[in-house]
């Protein structure tokens, strides 16, 4: 009776076609991005990298992550399932992915002096986003880019981390970030989002006005 002899030195192949090889290559790239993002988050918390070094690196990794998720498609139903499947223990990366923006934006850790240009740009971002809601834009791919730009500009203001509007806008960023590109918020969510943004807008100008009067 003949038996198959296994060569323990022979590399096991994960794929037999070019399409499968491409798929596993993209999954490996996604795995690497998550690991890199986790290392970056931990390094920033330990002050091993400065905010100036951290912000662009984090933005680049988040952008690469979003691109890879689109490419792998149905092979990755959710980031949690992907990390569970490959036994990835990277909570810092998972949090950053869910937020969708660098910690410097989420926490407004290093803000500079307020300038007229910043006020004008942030005001325009508020108006643009409120107009989008009034025009009944509801899809994630319509709202998320505008809100992300708004939060990024808003976070530049010193003291913004203590404003109630910041935490609410970041929460909405997380909500939108967890949706599919074509998925839409409900009418109830739209009304609440509009209320929160208008409140943040009023708080933003109220805080600036109080500073100017002191």
């Amino acid at each position: 009776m003949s038996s198959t002899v296994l060569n323990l030195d022979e590399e096991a192949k994960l794929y037999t076609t070019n399409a499968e090889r491409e798929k596993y290559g993209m999954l490996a790239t996604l795995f690497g991005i998550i690991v890199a993002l986790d290392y970056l988050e931990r390094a920033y918390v330990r002050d091993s990298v400065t905010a100036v070094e951290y912000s662009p690196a984090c933005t680049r990794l988040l952008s690469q992550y979003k691109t890879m998720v689109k490419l792998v498609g149905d092979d990755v139903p959710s980031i949690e399932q992907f990390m569970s499947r490959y036994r990835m223990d990277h909570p810092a990366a998972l949090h950053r992915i869910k937020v969708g923006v660098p910690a410097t934006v989420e926490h407004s850790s290093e803000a500079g002096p307020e300038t007229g240009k910043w006020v004008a740009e942030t005001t325009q971002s508020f108006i643009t986003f409120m107009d989008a809601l009034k025009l009944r834009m509801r899809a994630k791919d319509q709202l998320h880019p505008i809100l992300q730009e708004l939060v990024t500009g808003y976070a530049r203001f010193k003291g913004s981390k203590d404003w109630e509007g910041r935490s609410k806008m970041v929460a909405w960023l997380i909500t939108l970030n967890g949706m599919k590109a074509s998925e839409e918020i409900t009418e109830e969510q739209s009304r609440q989002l509009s209320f929160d943004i208008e409140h943040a807008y009023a708080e933003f100008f109220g805080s600036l006005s109080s500073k100017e009067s002191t």
Side-chain angles (χ1 to χ4, degrees), residues 52-114:
V52 174
E53 295 168 323
Y54 164 81
S55 293
C58 184
T59 299
R60 184 170 63 252
L61 285 170
L62 288 173
S63 177
Q64 291 170 341
Y65 164 79
K66 291 173 184 176
T67 299
M68 290 311 303
V69 165
K70 290 179 182 178
L71 292 176
V72 296
D74 295 336
D75 288 317
V76 180
S78 73
I79 182 60
E80 290 89 352
Q81 289 184 31
F82 178 80
M83 293 177 72
S84 176
R85 184 196 310 172
Y86 295 105
R87 299 179 181 179
M88 301 184 73
D89 184 21
H90 298 88
L94 180 60
H95 174 75
R96 188 56 46 218
I97 287 169
K98 283 184 171 295
V99 174
V101 292
T104 44
V105 174
E106 181 188 6
H107 301 296
S108 185
S109 58
E110 287 194 8
E114 290 77 12

Side-chain angles (χ1 to χ4, degrees), residues 117-160:
K117 180 182 178 183
W118 287 2
V119 173
E121 290 176 346
T122 306
T123 300
Q124 184 57 55
S125 294
F126 266 115
I127 293 172
T128 299
F129 191 78
M130 289 188 288
D131 284 347
L133 292 175
K134 290 175 182 176
L135 291 171
R136 304 191 62 78
M137 292 186 184
R138 301 290 183 266
K140 179 247 181 97
D141 59 0
Q142 293 175 317
L143 298 176
H144 187 271
I146 311 173
L147 183 58
Q148 183 168 339
E149 182 178 350
L150 169 57
V151 173
T152 300
Y154 180 93
R156 292 183 298 186
F157 291 88
K158 188 176 181 180
S160 63

